[in-house]
Amino acid sequence: MTGLVSRFALVALLAVSACDDKPPAKPAPANTVQKAPVPTVAAPPVSAAASPLGQAINAAAFDPAAVDPQARRNTLIRVQTLLDRAHFSPGVIDGRDGGNLKLAIQAFQKAHDLPTDGEISQALLAALAAADNGPVLVDYTITQSDVAGPFTPQLPKEDYEAMAREPAMNYHDIVEMLAERFHMDEALLRELNPGANFNQAGATIMVTAAGADTLPAKVDRIEIDKTLGQVRAFDETGAQVAVYPATVGSTERPAPSGEWAVRTLAPRPTYTYDPSRLTFGKPKEKLTIKAGPNNPVGSTWIDLTKDTYGIHGTPDPKLVNKRASHGCVRLTNWDATELGSAVKKGAKVIFMGTEARPA
């Protein structure tokens, strides 16, 4: 179980900006002829997405006879990104096969009356492209604000005492920040941009054109499937609006069963470690860890009427549905933010199925 979260205390996001004002030009001496300035032509920006790799991924198709592993990887990146934009989240976009991708494909197939085998096919790609055929890789120019951070040093996992001493639980570095912004695995971000200086403002990099972290309708009901490790969101008409992979409970701290409800929402939550109520960790005293994406409950906390339980983000998105939680429902930060932006107070939350500890 993830502990108690302050439900109403929100921590303001610090915006860091920089500017470089040039000194005023000196006036020309009297009785001199001023020369017209020589016009300068800015070099055209280098398009990363127009590179051979970017073009290959944007045009990736299904070929059952393909033996080139890079061609398969290109298709996986395209499928994952299009699923993400369609609100059938594969979790982290990493260009790899896995259980979360299979679950996302199955959910999309079911919603579009396709055979629910969880496999990539021409029919799947055609259905995804029919809804959204935009490029899956685009250019992004790193800004001075990106470079400035602020960033928080990486700390040992579950060292709650060290975390409590930090003024905020920010990203560790710019690569982690950019990867999460575009729903990507850090390794994929580096792979797509070999030799890139991510700390150089003005540099152009290639990123996935992921979803916008908003849903098309308000969420009135949430189903938490403990067997699959999946969260499904529905609007007031009963239409499914989103599907997310999730880590649900653990053997030691199983998630609850039955029907509960959303009590409140806390964007940028603090995290309270209370040893009198928790069975994990070493601290002997109550600790409060400040807000930030690397907070133990991530960027968003959706508080449930089941006391001390919630749906929340995580500092380790690639481990969602691969490692047990301490009892709550863990999503990637971006999926938790998306769900939190649309869920209604009082929305039904139904835990179903038999809990299975992720492998």
Side-chain angles (χ1 to χ4, degrees):
M1 182 171 60
T2 52
L4 297 175
V5 176
S6 173
R7 296 175 183 145
F8 305 104
L10 305 183
V11 180
L13 177 66
L14 300 178
V16 179
S17 61
C19 58
D20 183 13
D21 293 329
K22 296 181 180 180
K26 295 181 180 179
N31 301 321
T32 61
V33 178
Q34 297 191 54
K35 297 181 179 180
V38 177
T40 58
V41 179
V46 177
S47 175
S51 68
L53 177 59
Q55 290 179 331
I57 293 173
N58 280 329
F62 173 70
D63 181 0
V67 295
D68 179 8
Q70 184 60 54
R72 169 68 177 177
R73 189 158 166 74
N74 293 347
T75 302
L76 287 169
I77 294 169
R78 185 176 182 216
V79 168
Q80 286 179 319
T81 306
L82 291 177
L83 285 167
D84 182 276
R85 293 211 298 250
H87 307 295
F88 291 85
S89 173
V92 173
I93 298 171
D94 59 5
R96 300 184 182 280
D97 282 308
N100 288 341
L101 175 58
K102 189 177 185 70
L103 286 174
I105 291 174
Q106 286 176 326
F108 183 89
Q109 289 170 328
K110 183 177 180 181
H112 291 79
D113 297 321
L114 297 171
T116 55
D117 57 7
E119 300 296 329
I120 295 175
S121 65
Q122 186 56 49
L124 173 72
L125 266 173
L128 284 166
D132 179 355
N133 200 28
V136 299
L137 292 184
V138 294
D139 289 344
Y140 177 75
T141 301
I142 296 172
T143 69
Q144 183 60 47
S145 180
D146 293 334
V147 175
F151 302 109
T152 298
Q154 188 161 8
L155 302 169
K157 295 185 184 302
E158 297 196 357
D159 187 345
Y160 299 111
E161 292 172 322
M163 293 181 190
R165 291 192 290 268
E166 294 293 332
M169 293 302 295
N170 301 308
Y171 294 110
H172 303 314
D173 55 38
I174 191 170
V175 173
E176 183 187 37
M177 179 183 72
L178 292 173
E180 185 155 312
R181 182 182 300 172
F182 299 106
H183 306 181
M184 302 171 68
D185 183 53
E186 292 179 49
L188 178 61
L189 178 61
R190 292 185 184 278
E191 179 185 328
L192 293 177
N193 299 281
N197 181 356
F198 294 98
N199 289 298
Q200 179 184 341
T204 299
I205 59 173
M206 184 162 51
V207 298
T208 56
D213 297 347
T214 57
L215 290 177
K218 288 293 184 181
V219 173
D220 189 64
R221 184 176 93 253
I222 298 171
E223 293 180 356
I224 299 172
D225 192 322
K226 296 188 287 184
T227 304
L228 294 179
Q230 188 176 72
V231 168
R232 300 182 286 267
F234 302 83
D235 67 15
E236 61 183 3
T237 71
Q240 183 174 276
V241 295
V243 177
Y244 309 109
T247 299
V248 186
S250 65
T251 302
E252 180 188 80
R253 297 289 299 182
S257 297
E259 183 176 312
W260 306 89
V262 171
R263 179 155 43 198
T264 191
L265 171 71
R268 290 186 56 79
T270 59
Y271 173 86
T272 300
Y273 178 90
D274 186 347
S276 69
R277 306 186 69 172
L278 302 176
T279 59
F280 59 89
K282 297 179 180 179
K284 304 300 182 183
E285 299 180 352
K286 191 173 181 178
L287 299 171
T288 297
I289 298 173
K290 307 299 191 303
N294 276 309
N295 180 294
V297 293
S299 62
T300 302
W301 171 269
I302 301 171
D303 194 45
L304 305 183
T305 50
K306 171 67 173 175
D307 192 31
T308 76
Y309 281 81
I311 304 169
H312 63 85
T314 176
D316 296 307
K318 65 183 179 181
L319 298 181
V320 167
N321 204 18
K322 294 180 174 64
R323 180 176 295 179
S325 75
H326 291 301
C328 291
V329 180
R330 184 181 299 164
L331 310 177
T332 66
N333 275 340
W334 54 88
D335 287 343
T337 297
E338 180 177 276
L339 180 60
S341 71
V343 72
K344 295 179 179 179
K345 182 179 179 180
K348 292 181 181 180
V349 179
I350 304 166
F351 287 82
M352 57 180 58
T354 303
E355 197 159 322
R357 186 185 180 101

